[in-house]
Amino acid sequence: SKDKITYDMLMYNRDNFRDIYTNKPKGLTRQEYAKQISYQPSKSYSKYMSQKAKRVIRIFNDNFRKGITEVAEPRHEKDKAIHIHHIFPENEFPGISAYYENLIALTPTQHLSYAHPNGDTSVIDVSYQHICLLAKSSVIQETIEDSTRHQIYEFKKFTHVLHVGLDDDRFNNIPDGDFDAVNNVINLVYS
């Protein structure tokens, strides 16, 4: 700080300006209060967080997966995965748009021909969405089980993304780390 910091500025338990601005009661955490008032972040903030998450996935994929696509296909094995795709569309599911578990690294062809037929990003190919979810499940499992790798994924966040995106409560009852159960429920939803 440019100014001298006085003792009253350092005092714990003083009101935070964010709390004063939102009229948050002292006895609640910010997360509890946000749920209570049904706080929704602005579209611009959601977009910013989504773009930030895409950059993280791109860097992670380049550094730990050699830039290859997460949907392994022989015809695209040498193509770089330079597109980061929302498995569940950002405009329909803003609450999970910044979850790493909802983002998948694809080649341009996979993204603009398979995930979005004819390059129309307002349309999702449901059968390819199914393929993306199974591929993402495999990548998440591989990453979590490799203790030498930097951990960015969480099993509970993945099941949350699936619960919200597929609107299926069965994902809430899956034991931590049970990827076989996750894949079974995904396949049941799409069958």
Side-chain angles (χ1 to χ4, degrees), residues 24-86:
K24 181 188 83 63
K26 195 113 178 118
L28 291 176
T29 66
R30 289 192 190 106
Q31 290 83 8
E32 291 169 337
Y33 186 60
K35 285 179 187 174
Q36 201 177 68
I37 63 169
S38 299
Y39 170 75
Q40 293 295 322
S42 68
K43 286 183 182 180
S44 60
Y45 181 74
S46 293
K47 185 78 171 164
Y48 164 75
M49 292 304 290
S50 176
Q51 292 302 319
K52 188 176 171 183
K54 282 182 170 185
R55 283 191 299 275
V56 170
I57 293 298
R58 174 78 189 269
I59 291 167
F60 179 82
N61 195 59
D62 288 347
N63 291 335
F64 295 100
R65 302 193 74 255
K66 299 178 183 165
I68 63 170
T69 178
E70 291 185 56
V71 179
E73 295 175 297
R75 62 183 167 210
H76 296 292
E77 66 187 15
K78 293 182 182 176
D79 300 342
K80 284 288 189 183
I82 59 172
H83 286 213
I84 306 301
H85 168 67
H86 282 95

Side-chain angles (χ1 to χ4, degrees), residues 40-191:
Q40 293 295 322
S42 68
K43 286 183 182 180
S44 60
Y45 181 74
S46 293
K47 185 78 171 164
Y48 164 75
M49 292 304 290
S50 176
Q51 292 302 319
K52 188 176 171 183
K54 282 182 170 185
R55 283 191 299 275
V56 170
I57 293 298
R58 174 78 189 269
I59 291 167
F60 179 82
N61 195 59
D62 288 347
N63 291 335
F64 295 100
R65 302 193 74 255
K66 299 178 183 165
I68 63 170
T69 178
E70 291 185 56
V71 179
E73 295 175 297
R75 62 183 167 210
H76 296 292
E77 66 187 15
K78 293 182 182 176
D79 300 342
K80 284 288 189 183
I82 59 172
H83 286 213
I84 306 301
H85 168 67
H86 282 95
I87 301 170
F88 297 108
E90 181 178 22
N91 62 331
E92 291 179 44
F93 301 96
I96 58 172
S97 66
Y99 279 62
Y100 302 148
E101 295 78 4
N102 184 34
L103 298 169
I104 190 165
L106 301 174
T107 67
T109 300
Q110 289 173 319
H111 188 215
L112 298 173
S113 294
Y114 310 151
H116 300 292
N118 301 318
D120 184 353
T121 57
S122 66
V123 176
I124 294 285
D125 182 307
V126 176
S127 63
Y128 200 72
Q129 183 181 54
H130 179 199
I131 292 167
C132 286
L133 285 172
L134 294 174
K136 191 67 185 187
S137 178
S138 177
V139 168
I140 292 171
Q141 181 177 9
E142 174 188 311
T143 303
I144 289 174
E145 290 176 354
D146 184 352
S147 60
T148 64
R149 198 177 273 185
H150 177 69
Q151 296 298 317
I152 65 169
Y153 298 118
E154 293 179 32
F155 184 82
K156 287 294 181 194
K157 285 185 178 179
F158 185 47
T159 56
H160 175 70
V161 164
L162 292 167
H163 165 70
V164 171
L166 296 173
D167 192 25
D168 195 311
D169 290 332
R170 290 178 285 189
F171 292 106
N172 293 335
N173 303 321
I174 296 175
D176 194 32
D178 191 348
F179 285 94
D180 289 336
V182 165
N183 294 337
N184 287 336
V185 175
I186 291 170
N187 286 329
L188 286 171
V189 170
Y190 284 93
S191 62

